[in-house]
Amino acid sequence: MARKKQTRFEIVAKAVNQHLKEDGVVLNFKGYRETVIAYSRMADNHVGEVFDLMIDCLLWSNYMHEVRSFIEWKKEEAQLRLDYHLALEDKKNPSAQLESTIQSWKQKIREYKLLEKHLISQYKFFVKAHDQCKSAYHKGIKVLGHSA
Amino acid sequence: MARPPLSPIVIEKESKPKEEMDYFGFLARTVHPIAKKYDMSLNFKGWQDTKLEYANLKDGNYTVAWKVMEEMNLWADYFSSCANVVQKLFLDSETDKIEIQAIASAEADNVKVANGDRLANKDIRVINARKDRNGLKALYEDLQAKVKFCERCHYQAKSMYDVYTRFVLSQSPDKVKTS
């Protein structure tokens, strides 16, 4: 069976998940792929399905924003840790271990920033998808009203 | 089609029952002690139930739509007032952070400003002030998004309610009056 190809968003989320696991928190996007597939296959004449998808998209937009706020907070916390280690640096006696810690925090911040950008895009995507479903739903209802 | 996970965060601590929550709940829980410092308590009891009601809303069920419409409007108002208070706390914490940072910087190096600022970052007072500010900022931004989310849910439930009551009204006006 062919392996599912991961999107850039999923790859970045997986990388950040490794950092979060250290703090005992995990990212969970179970159901994301199914919702995107359902949206891409949406038929505007199935009013009931469009209505359910409209709810799903709005719930996902809310979820993406929640994760985004959480990641933004984690990014700021990582920045705090990085600044702390930079303050410990002694320019006259450089320490390889401290330098490695600094680089590791810099890498974490880069990944948090990248995921944050992806999450903003995902949030916008689901809001737009919800709006599209809303239009399709109203159109469907009008058609049903005329045929009734 | 699939809904997002309801409680993706599980907190397990010894001698305490397992806690399950969403990211918003986790953030609110983290910020709660900070808000308490400013004599404010955060209470979002019932929010998960309302969100669940909306998630389970079915096309054509206009009695539930009425309830969701009403509750979402109330939550939008509540989140909005919470966001305003949290914004005030966030701005206050930002001012506190700048003040503490300036004092710590001057204490660490009163000749070179850049070096003083760098060294101030290992001062526990600066770390705590920055932590408070970070938590409040994240919660404030999420509360603002919650207001928009509730408004969208309200309008969706309202439009469905309008469509179906109009339809039922055109079929049998008495039925609507008595329901």
Side-chain angles (χ1 to χ4, degrees), chain B residues 119-139:
Chain B
L119 295 173
N121 286 319
K122 63 180 176 184
D123 190 306
I124 191 72
R125 292 168 299 171
V126 175
I127 293 171
N128 287 337
R130 283 179 69 180
K131 274 188 176 176
D132 288 0
R133 176 234 174 237
N134 294 345
L136 288 164
K137 184 177 180 257
L139 185 67

Side-chain angles (χ1 to χ4, degrees), chain B residues 8-171:
Chain B
I9 296 180
V10 181
I11 295 174
E12 283 177 276
K13 273 185 186 170
E14 281 175 37
S15 73
K16 275 187 177 177
K18 200 165 74 175
E19 277 186 89
E20 290 185 3
M21 60 189 81
D22 57 6
Y23 294 99
F24 171 69
F26 184 77
L27 211 53
R29 187 178 182 268
T30 311
V31 174
H32 190 70
I34 305 167
K36 260 193 161 180
K37 280 190 211 167
Y38 294 89
D39 293 326
M40 186 204 171
S41 72
L42 297 166
N43 188 349
F44 300 108
K45 210 176 159 187
W47 166 239
Q48 283 286 15
D49 299 332
T50 305
K51 201 168 77 173
L52 210 60
E53 255 171 344
Y54 168 72
N56 294 327
L57 183 65
K58 290 279 164 248
D59 187 27
N61 196 343
Y62 59 87
T63 45
V64 178
W66 172 263
K67 199 170 169 243
V68 170
M69 186 164 73
E70 202 172 46
E71 284 182 12
M72 281 297 178
N73 199 22
L74 287 166
W75 274 107
D77 180 52
Y78 183 71
F79 281 133
S80 179
S81 56
C82 281
N84 290 336
V85 178
V86 171
Q87 187 191 22
K88 200 252 174 214
L89 301 186
F90 160 55
L91 294 172
D92 284 353
S93 70
E94 181 87 40
T95 314
D96 290 347
K97 187 203 87 174
I98 294 168
E99 185 192 359
I100 293 165
Q101 233 166 3
I103 295 167
S105 173
E107 281 173 3
D109 189 339
N110 59 3
V111 182
K112 290 177 187 165
V113 177
N115 192 42
D117 288 349
R118 181 178 72 89
L119 295 173
N121 286 319
K122 63 180 176 184
D123 190 306
I124 191 72
R125 292 168 299 171
V126 175
I127 293 171
N128 287 337
R130 283 179 69 180
K131 274 188 176 176
D132 288 0
R133 176 234 174 237
N134 294 345
L136 288 164
K137 184 177 180 257
L139 185 67
Y140 167 60
E141 282 174 6
D142 211 19
L143 283 167
Q144 277 184 311
K146 284 276 170 291
V147 176
K148 282 185 190 164
F149 171 68
C150 289
E151 283 171 355
R152 286 194 180 105
C153 294
H154 166 80
Y155 284 115
Q156 186 187 344
K158 184 181 177 290
S159 61
M160 193 263 268
Y161 177 82
D162 286 347
V163 164
Y164 280 92
T165 48
R166 214 177 298 145
F167 178 71
V168 174
L169 201 68
S170 67
Q171 299 293 307

